């Protein structure tokens, strides 16, 4: 049985009534800078927050772009150290102390591990440091896996990276959808959410989310496919229908079109 605080924080993120979550990710700036759609991050997130179960962002984005009256649980990005200009993209270390994450009322912390990269050991050992610190305060750690261009995101790799994350202590794993995704889900002992990845047509993103949910994912941690959509407020509601209401891709896309055209 988890301690009460840990369980309560997880329940604020993964909703008990559906067992699912729509995490809205806007943490990209820590290595991508003002990426398209996040130039004025505060204006981007404001109309979308009512539809998100949680908000994933950096310490700086929380401090400079988010109103303290926000009532969605915060998943704070606590890894970083490289940018898109670096050939070793995402050779990440710890960038936020647990004390500051707690001070800013994070409900969870997120850290990228680079399984298979030359520096996988650094990222895995730093990840376990974060897990140890977070567990001390009943804060769940979200392991972010499989980011970075050089990786083949197939079921073999994603199940390896996701299981390593869980074995090292992650409470939630974020990975990507792939063929034979059930292999990832069935070999990972903690909830798995999928990142959206680069922007793709709305119907494709909704289909990906649907397939992941149907395979047993606990939800999505989606960013660009929401905030780079032609109609982000319509898209976040369509994604929500897939995640929480079992809407089919066709139903969700119809909802997207209807809200977009209002
Ligand atoms: C970037 C991240 C993002 O949180 C994650 O990729 C989700 O965002 P998107 O749906 O845009 O991929 O970890 O490194």
């Amino acid at each position: 049985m988890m301690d009460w605080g840990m369980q309560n924080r997880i329940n604020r993120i993964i909703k008990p009534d559906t067992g699912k979550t729509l995490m809205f990710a806007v943490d990209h700036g820590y290595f991508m800078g003002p990426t398209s759609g996040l130039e004025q991050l505060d204006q981007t997130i404001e109309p979308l927050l009512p539809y998100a179960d949680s908000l994933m962002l950096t310490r700086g984005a929380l401090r400079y772009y988010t109103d303290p009256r926000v009532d969605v649980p915060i998943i704070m990005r606590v890894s970083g150290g490289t940018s898109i200009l670096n050939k070793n993209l995402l050779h990440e270390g710890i960038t936020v102390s647990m004390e500051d994450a707690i001070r800013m009322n994070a409900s969870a912390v997120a850290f990228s591990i680079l399984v298979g990269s030359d520096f996988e050991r650094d990222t895995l050992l730093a990840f376990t440091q974060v897990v140890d610190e977070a567990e001390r305060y009943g804060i769940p750690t979200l392991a972010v896996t499989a980011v970075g261009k050089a990786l083949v995101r197939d079921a073999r790799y994603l199940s390896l990276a996701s299981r390593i994350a869980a074995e090292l202590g992650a409470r939630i794993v974020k990975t990507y959808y792939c063929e034979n995704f059930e292999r990832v889900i069935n070999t990972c002992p903690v909830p798995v959410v999928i990142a959206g990845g680069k922007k793709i047509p709305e119907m494709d993103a909704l289909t990906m989310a649907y397939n992941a949910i149907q395979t047993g994912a606990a939800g999505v941690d989606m960013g660009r496919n929401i905030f780079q959509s032609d109609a982000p407020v319509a898209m976040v509601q369509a994604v929500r229908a897939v995640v929480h209401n079992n809407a089919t891709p066709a139903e969700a896309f119809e909802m997207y079109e209807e809200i977009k055209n209002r």
Side-chain angles (χ1 to χ4, degrees), residues 23-28 30-32 56 77 90 92 110 112 142 144-145 147-148 153 174 176 194-199 208 221-228:
M23 298 178 184
F24 178 38
V26 291
D27 61 318
H28 308 65
Y30 80 93
F31 74 106
M32 297 172 88
M56 178 167 167
R77 163 65 70 170
L90 303 183
E92 301 194 355
S112 292
L142 170 74
V144 177
T145 71
V147 283
R153 291 177 182 161
K174 177 172 71 168
Y176 291 82
I194 63 155
K198 288 189 183 338
K199 176 74 178 66
M208 177 174 65
D221 179 37
M222 199 174 267
R224 287 163 288 181
N225 278 283
I226 292 173
F227 64 74
Q228 292 176 353

Side-chain angles (χ1 to χ4, degrees), residues 13-147:
I13 295 167
I14 300 176
K15 299 305 180 189
D17 55 339
T18 61
K20 303 294 181 194
T21 186
L22 191 168
M23 298 178 184
F24 178 38
V26 291
D27 61 318
H28 308 65
Y30 80 93
F31 74 106
M32 297 172 88
T35 193
S36 168
L38 297 185
E39 297 88 347
Q40 285 79 36
L41 196 146
D42 48 348
Q43 294 171 29
T44 297
I45 65 177
E46 193 269 331
L48 299 170
L49 284 180
Y51 307 101
D53 295 317
S54 64
L55 181 63
M56 178 167 167
L57 75 180
T58 60
R59 163 165 59 179
L62 189 59
R63 187 186 297 161
Y64 303 126
Y65 287 114
T66 313
D67 187 315
R69 286 171 295 182
V70 70
D71 66 357
V72 291
I74 297 301
I75 302 177
M76 187 176 285
R77 163 65 70 170
V78 297
S79 72
T82 44
S83 77
I84 47 175
L85 298 182
N86 187 306
K87 66 181 185 318
N88 282 333
L89 181 62
L90 303 183
H91 182 177
E92 301 194 355
I94 300 169
T95 52
V96 183
S97 70
M98 200 52 59
E99 182 189 359
D100 208 33
I102 293 168
R103 184 181 302 120
M104 297 187 79
N105 202 23
S107 293
V109 290
F111 192 102
S112 292
I113 59 170
L114 273 293
V115 173
S117 65
D118 294 346
F119 37 80
E120 67 177 0
R121 185 176 186 276
D122 296 2
T123 66
L124 292 173
L125 293 182
F127 172 68
T128 49
Q129 265 183 266
V130 168
V131 170
D132 282 339
E133 277 275 285
E135 291 284 322
R136 193 168 298 141
Y137 302 101
I139 294 178
T141 302
L142 170 74
V144 177
T145 71
V147 283

Side-chain angles (χ1 to χ4, degrees), residues 142-147 153-154 157-159 161-162 172-178 181 184-185 192-197 219 221:
L142 170 74
V144 177
T145 71
V147 283
R153 291 177 182 161
D154 60 10
Y157 175 75
L158 297 179
S159 56
S162 300
I172 307 172
V173 170
K174 177 172 71 168
T175 192
Y176 291 82
Y177 183 72
C178 64
F181 190 59
V184 179
I185 295 292
V192 174
V193 297
I194 63 155
D221 179 37

